[in-house]
Amino acid sequence: MKNTASLDLVEFIETQILPQYAQFDKAHNLEHVTRVIRRSIELAKHTGAELNMVYAIAAYHDLGMSGPRAIHHITGGKILASDARLKRWFSPEQIKVMKEAVEDHRASASHAPRSLYGKIVAEADRDIIPEVVFLRTVQFGMANYPEMSREEHWRRFRQHMDEKYSSHGYIRLWIPGSPNELKLKELRNIIADPQQLRQQFDKYYDLEKLNAGQSDPS
């Protein structure tokens, strides 16, 4: 398998697709999609998946954030499937698999991804580095619920951690032996300690307030 994606595909993605992420919130911005692409490529090399497909899937996976967040995975699949420019690099069969992979990447999906490609982008999208999880959760809350007080943000943050990442949360890992396994264990240990979890929230909440040049009225 090649170690890099096709140069012309990379040029197309970097000039036509990735700039679209500038319109999304901090939890789904260019930094996030770049991280997902990097992890997806690492997993592709680990699993033997076709690198061009993996690269494109990762690049398109959150384009559906241009519409309602609740269905962004479905919207993103439609965006990929309807982009006729991809026919330059991929067959109709490959594009179908890629569309399904984007549809299947969401962490709260009720079913396992239908292919290895869906598993790769779902795994790469997890961002289970504890510091990244905490920061993205705070950023999303502040961007979408600016009217909330500090304590309301804390309650939302704590609930999200419990529902998604705790030992009984809905998050699932799909690639055995991936780096995410150890990171998820580390994250769950912090979630299980309310005092430590509050410290992490306060740290990133204060950091975002400082970066925004805001004082905390609460």
Side-chain angles (χ1 to χ4, degrees), residues 61 69-78 102-106:
H61 85 281
R69 185 175 190 270
I71 58 168
H72 81 279
H73 52 306
I74 303 300
T75 306
K78 291 178 180 177
V102 171
E103 291 173 343
D104 292 344
H105 85 271
R106 197 174 185 202

Side-chain angles (χ1 to χ4, degrees), residues 67-206:
R69 185 175 190 270
I71 58 168
H72 81 279
H73 52 306
I74 303 300
T75 306
K78 291 178 180 177
I79 291 172
L80 185 152
S82 64
D83 194 338
R85 295 171 295 182
L86 291 175
K87 294 178 181 179
R88 176 179 174 184
W89 298 280
F90 305 108
S91 70
E93 292 77 16
Q94 288 176 314
I95 290 175
K96 180 178 183 294
V97 171
M98 293 160 64
K99 171 181 181 288
E100 292 175 349
V102 171
E103 291 173 343
D104 292 344
H105 85 271
R106 197 174 185 202
S108 57
S110 59
H111 59 84
R114 286 165 279 186
S115 71
L116 172 62
Y117 295 91
K119 291 178 180 178
I120 286 172
V121 72
E123 187 86 4
D125 188 46
R126 294 302 181 253
D127 269 344
I128 307 183
I129 299 172
E131 294 82 1
V132 174
V133 170
F134 298 142
L135 177 60
R136 290 187 72 217
T137 303
V138 168
Q139 288 176 334
F140 181 84
M142 294 176 73
N144 290 275
Y145 307 103
E147 75 284 357
M148 282 187 175
S149 68
R150 184 190 194 98
E151 290 308 306
E152 288 172 329
H153 277 293
W154 157 242
R155 288 193 291 272
R156 180 199 163 271
F157 176 93
R158 182 179 57 191
Q159 181 179 359
H160 179 69
M161 290 298 136
D162 180 67
E163 291 178 350
K164 182 173 182 178
Y165 295 104
S166 71
S167 57
H168 57 263
Y170 61 76
I171 194 166
R172 297 290 181 269
L173 303 182
W174 305 112
I175 307 294
S178 77
N180 278 339
E181 287 184 341
L182 288 177
K183 292 298 183 182
L184 183 57
K185 182 178 180 180
E186 179 183 349
L187 180 58
R188 285 174 171 171
N189 286 338
I190 297 173
I191 292 172
D193 183 342
Q195 183 176 358
Q196 192 176 2
L197 185 63
R198 178 64 196 240
Q199 289 173 350
Q200 293 297 321
F201 166 79
D202 286 339
K203 173 183 176 181
Y204 291 104
Y205 183 85
D206 289 340

Side-chain angles (χ1 to χ4, degrees), residues 9 50-58 90 94-95 97-98 117:
L9 176 61
E50 205 284 316
L51 193 57
N52 283 337
M53 290 177 65
V54 167
Y55 175 64
I57 292 164
F90 305 108
Q94 288 176 314
I95 290 175
V97 171
M98 293 160 64
Y117 295 91

